[in-house]
Amino acid sequence: MHRLMAAAAIPGVALATIEDGKVKVTPMGVAELDVERPVVETTVFDVASLSKPVAAYVALQLVDYGTLDLDEPLSRMVQKGVPPQLASSSITARHVLTHTSGLPNLRGDEPLRSHFPPGSWFSYSSVGFTFLQMALEAVSTEPLEALAQRLVFDPLGMQSSSFRWHDRFNEDFAMPHEGDKRLEKHRPAAAHASYSLQTTAGDYAKFMVAVLNGSSLREMTRQRWLTPAVMVPRGDAIHLMDSPPETERDIGWGLGWGIEATDGIFFQWGKMDGIRAFAMGNPITQSAVVLLTNSNRGLRLMDAAAEATLPGEHPAFRWLRACVTE
C-alpha cells in the first residue's frame, strides 16, 4: 500500500479490515500535505457516497418499524419543499435505493425531472437520496442527523460520525487533495443523505460489521438489502436517456448497495473533489474492507485494499474504473 500510495502521490489513507467480526485499522501517510500531519486512527474523513448505505440502513429500519412503505410514492409523504416537478411523481423509496428513479445524479441547471418511468432501469442518482431524505424526515418527524444518531451511530458506537460538521472534528481531519494541490475542507452545515457523512475508518468498519450481521433488520429486509433488484448498465453508472443496450452480467444493485451477484459481495464507492472512498464486504465469509483517502486518485488502491480480506477477481473494480473518473 505504501508503494502504491507513493506511485500515485496519494497523501493519506485510513484502511480498516474486518475478519470474523474483528476490526483492524491501519492509518498511512499524512492528513495534509506540507504540514506533515499524520493520518491516525481518529482522523475524520469525508466519505461522500459512502453516506448512502447509512441512509439506506435508516430507511430499512423505518420499513421494519412500519413507518415507511417502500412502494408508496414519496410525493405522498412530503408536504413541504418538494420541487413542483416531483409533486405528483410515482418515485418510491425502492426506486431511490435501487437507483431506478430516473432522476439525474446531480442537480443541474435544467428543471428537475424523471428521465424515464421509475423502475425501468438503473441510473445512479444522488438527487434521489435527497428526495428520500425529505420523506424519511416527514414520516419520522425527525431530521436525518437525529435519525442516524438514534438508529445507527449510537447503537453501533460510532462516536466520531455525523452527517454534519461538528467543532470537535477540527482536532483531527483529513484535507482533500487533487493531485498535489490541497483543497478546502468540506464542512457540511446540514445533513445530506447522499454525500455529507463525516467518519473514521474504524467507525465505518463498525457499520460494516452491522451490515455483515444484519443487525437491527428483519431477515427478509436484510436479504433484499443485499440481493440484486436490477442489473447495472455495462460500463456505465449513469444512463438516463434510453434503455441500456447491455447490462453487466455480475453486477446489480440491491436496496442501497452494489452487489456482485455471483458471490453476494456488496460494495459502494465515494467521490468528491479531492477525496475517494470505498467499502466492500462478503456476508458469507464475514469479511470486509473500508478504504478512506484524501486524494482524487484514491480508488487506484481498491485492489490492494481488498486483497487480504476479499481475495480474487472483482467485477466491481472493472466497472468502477469505467464509471468513476479521477
Side-chain angles (χ1 to χ4, degrees), residues 130-162:
T130 301
F131 195 13
L132 176 63
Q133 177 179 341
M134 296 170 69
L136 296 180
E137 294 178 338
V139 298
S140 68
T141 67
E142 291 181 86
L144 176 63
E145 178 68 13
L147 279 170
Q149 288 289 344
R150 179 168 64 85
L151 298 177
V152 188
F153 303 148
D154 287 346
L156 300 183
M158 298 171 64
Q159 297 179 353
S160 297
S161 299
S162 174

Side-chain angles (χ1 to χ4, degrees), residues 76-252:
R76 295 181 187 171
M77 307 175 199
V78 181
Q79 302 301 315
K80 296 181 179 180
V82 62
Q85 303 92 328
L86 299 181
S88 60
S89 170
S90 62
I91 295 169
T92 67
R94 188 186 303 276
H95 294 143
V96 171
L97 294 174
T98 57
H99 292 281
T100 58
S101 67
L103 293 171
N105 181 36
L106 302 175
R107 186 77 179 262
D109 296 330
E110 297 180 0
L112 186 63
R113 65 183 179 91
S114 185
H115 290 258
F116 54 79
S120 298
W121 63 79
F122 178 99
S123 185
Y124 191 83
S125 174
S126 293
V127 169
F129 273 76
T130 301
F131 195 13
L132 176 63
Q133 177 179 341
M134 296 170 69
L136 296 180
E137 294 178 338
V139 298
S140 68
T141 67
E142 291 181 86
L144 176 63
E145 178 68 13
L147 279 170
Q149 288 289 344
R150 179 168 64 85
L151 298 177
V152 188
F153 303 148
D154 287 346
L156 300 183
M158 298 171 64
Q159 297 179 353
S160 297
S161 299
S162 174
F163 274 100
R164 60 182 179 85
W165 187 257
H166 292 275
D167 287 343
R168 69 179 188 272
F169 296 156
N170 285 320
E171 298 177 6
D172 186 11
F173 63 90
M175 293 290 290
H177 299 81
E178 292 278 344
D180 60 0
K181 180 183 178 182
R182 190 189 69 180
L183 305 182
E184 288 300 314
K185 174 69 178 70
H186 174 236
R187 293 176 170 87
H192 296 275
S194 64
Y195 67 86
S196 71
L197 182 63
Q198 311 290 305
T199 190
T200 66
D203 265 17
Y204 206 87
K206 293 176 182 178
F207 171 62
M208 293 293 282
V209 171
V211 179
L212 293 171
N213 294 337
S215 301
S216 301
L217 294 178
R218 295 178 180 176
E219 180 58 27
M220 182 173 292
T221 305
R222 174 182 176 271
Q223 289 180 8
R224 289 173 177 171
W225 198 17
L226 302 179
T227 300
V230 60
M231 305 309 284
V232 303
R234 186 170 182 82
D236 194 5
I238 300 172
H239 198 98
L240 290 171
M241 302 316 297
D242 51 22
S243 177
E246 291 184 83
T247 56
E248 295 283 351
R249 290 183 295 179
D250 197 33
I251 306 174

Side-chain angles (χ1 to χ4, degrees), residues 5 11-13 28-34 36-39 174 177 294:
M5 286 173 63
V13 165
M28 292 170 274
V30 295
E32 182 176 358
L33 283 176
D34 302 327
E36 295 298 314
R37 183 165 51 89
V39 174
H177 299 81
N294 59 351

